[in-house]
Amino acid sequence: MRRVDGEYRWHHVRAEPLRDREGRIVEWYGLSVDIDEGKKIEERLRRSEAYLAEAQRLTHTATAAYDATKILYFSDEAFRLFGFDPLQGLPSREAVWQRIHPDDVDTVNEKIEHALRERRSFQNEFRLKLPDGTLKHVEADILPVFSATGEFVEIIATAVDVTERKCAEDTLRRGEAWLAQAQRLSHTGTWVLNGTNEAFSVLVGRELPHLGV
């Protein structure tokens, strides 16, 4: 609605008719409540949620919250990371746990139990194995939340997909292992020179003679 000063503001309007004995409307009674500030807060919240969702998408960071029995919140990136369809609604806690690699489930549960006993946040690293066989590496930060009386309320978790980094690290390690094996078999040494032409690292146990400038 437009105010006398020309500003348009959101209002919640309700009207009820007053009828005579024949059911004809005699007059209307109305109530108008200015809800403009509430609408602005809702809009700011929607923008904040949109910014957060985009930031999580760009950084491959998922957010979730769960209690002892169910999932309370699952971000869009969490659906993507764990391979669930958001159109199907929140997955069950059991369904989420089934996506954790069987070899890592016990470790994940042990760390959660330890965090609950210690009442502190902790970091966790585990693998996901999706139904199609896709394997993902995940690093998670877990924060247990307790009520004022000390009762467990929920766990808030953020998880980052580090699969690409893990694959790169594995490739680098394999490359270094193959290089070391090739050098050993071929009796080939490798050294590195710094900016002053001084040798500071010699592999295969040989001393590199001093090189003058």
Side-chain angles (χ1 to χ4, degrees):
M1 296 179 64
R2 185 179 182 182
R3 298 195 313 190
V4 293
D5 60 2
E7 180 184 359
Y8 285 94
R9 297 180 66 85
W10 285 93
H11 282 71
H12 178 76
V13 179
R14 181 177 179 180
E16 292 289 342
L18 175 64
R19 301 176 185 273
D20 60 20
R21 293 182 179 179
E22 284 73 33
R24 292 172 298 191
I25 297 176
V26 178
E27 59 183 345
W28 286 87
Y29 292 94
L31 175 66
S32 177
V33 179
D34 188 331
I35 59 171
D36 195 76
E37 289 302 321
K39 282 290 185 179
K40 290 178 179 178
I41 292 174
E42 289 177 2
E43 180 60 27
R44 289 197 294 268
L45 179 60
R46 279 193 292 267
R47 286 201 299 267
S48 296
E49 290 175 342
Y51 296 151
L52 176 60
E54 182 65 10
Q56 290 182 337
R57 185 188 67 83
L58 293 174
T59 59
H60 302 294
T61 303
T63 305
Y66 57 91
D67 60 18
T69 60
K70 61 184 179 298
I71 301 295
L72 304 173
Y73 172 76
F74 228 52
S75 69
D76 291 342
E77 193 63 19
F79 277 103
R80 185 204 65 79
L81 178 62
F82 283 82
F84 290 105
D85 183 358
L87 297 179
Q88 301 298 320
L90 289 175
S92 67
R93 197 176 187 275
E94 292 75 17
V96 172
W97 250 245
Q98 288 173 0
R99 299 288 167 95
I100 300 176
H101 195 285
D103 293 342
D104 297 342
V105 171
D106 289 343
T107 301
V108 170
N109 288 331
E110 288 172 2
K111 288 189 176 182
I112 292 176
E113 292 173 0
H114 180 73
L116 293 175
R117 288 194 302 270
E118 297 293 326
R119 296 175 178 266
R120 63 176 180 82
S121 62
F122 71 100
Q123 292 183 329
N124 209 347
E125 185 174 333
F126 55 90
R127 293 164 295 172
L128 296 177
K129 188 174 183 180
L130 304 189
D132 63 1
T134 300
L135 193 66
K136 296 181 179 181
H137 293 265
V138 175
E139 288 183 354
D141 288 287
I142 309 297
L143 175 65
V145 179
F146 298 89
S147 68
T149 58
E151 296 179 348
F152 170 68
V153 176
E154 63 184 2
I155 285 179
I156 300 174
T158 59
V160 180
D161 186 346
V162 294
T163 305
E164 292 184 2
R165 193 194 75 194
K166 284 290 185 180
C167 290
E169 290 174 353
D170 289 343
T171 299
L172 178 60
R173 279 193 293 268
R174 287 196 299 270
E176 291 174 342
W178 292 336
L179 176 60
Q181 179 70 355
Q183 289 178 334
R184 186 183 67 81
L185 294 175
S186 61
H187 303 289
T188 302
T190 300
W191 59 87
V192 180
L193 302 179
N194 63 15
T196 61
N197 209 26
E198 293 291 335
F200 67 86
S201 175
V202 179
L203 302 182
V204 302
R206 296 182 183 177
E207 292 292 337
L208 186 68
H210 177 75
L211 300 179
V213 178

